Amino acid sequence: MNSVDKIRFLLLNGEAPEATCYGYMELNRDGHMIALYNNCGEEIDMFGGHEFIKVRALGKFDDEDRDNFYSLLESDGVG
């Protein structure tokens, strides 16, 4: 089971965002980050000079069924 956490970016692409900027972090079953997403749920480069803090866990999903992943994002207002 993978999990999704809501995050707040302190740096996004190496620069401080002008306003509060949220996104999402996907973790694999071992707890390692495997993807970052912007506030629209679009995947962004994990190595783009980002700094962030975890806000809260959204939930877990089966990595074979991405519909559950998008349901978690929709529950947070994405889409």
Side-chain angles (χ1 to χ4, degrees):
M1 297 291 267
N2 288 6
S3 63
V4 178
D5 293 337
K6 184 170 188 171
I7 57 175
R8 183 171 57 89
F9 287 104
L10 304 174
L11 289 178
L12 183 60
N13 296 318
E15 297 182 12
E18 292 181 16
T20 303
C21 184
Y22 293 97
Y24 304 93
M25 172 177 57
E26 182 178 350
L27 306 169
N28 66 13
R29 68 185 63 188
D30 296 325
H32 299 283
M33 182 175 61
I34 58 173
L36 279 179
Y37 302 88
N38 64 16
N39 61 343
C40 298
E42 300 165 335
E43 191 168 355
I44 60 174
D45 178 16
M46 288 188 345
F47 306 104
H50 314 300
E51 288 185 21
F52 53 85
I53 57 171
K54 180 179 170 180
V55 175
R56 67 183 173 93
L58 292 182
K60 296 184 181 239
F61 67 96
D62 183 350
D63 59 341
E64 299 296 320
D65 184 3
R66 297 301 288 184
D67 288 342
N68 292 333
F69 169 79
Y70 294 109
S71 294
L72 290 171
L73 293 186
E74 287 174 2
S75 73
D76 197 52
V78 174

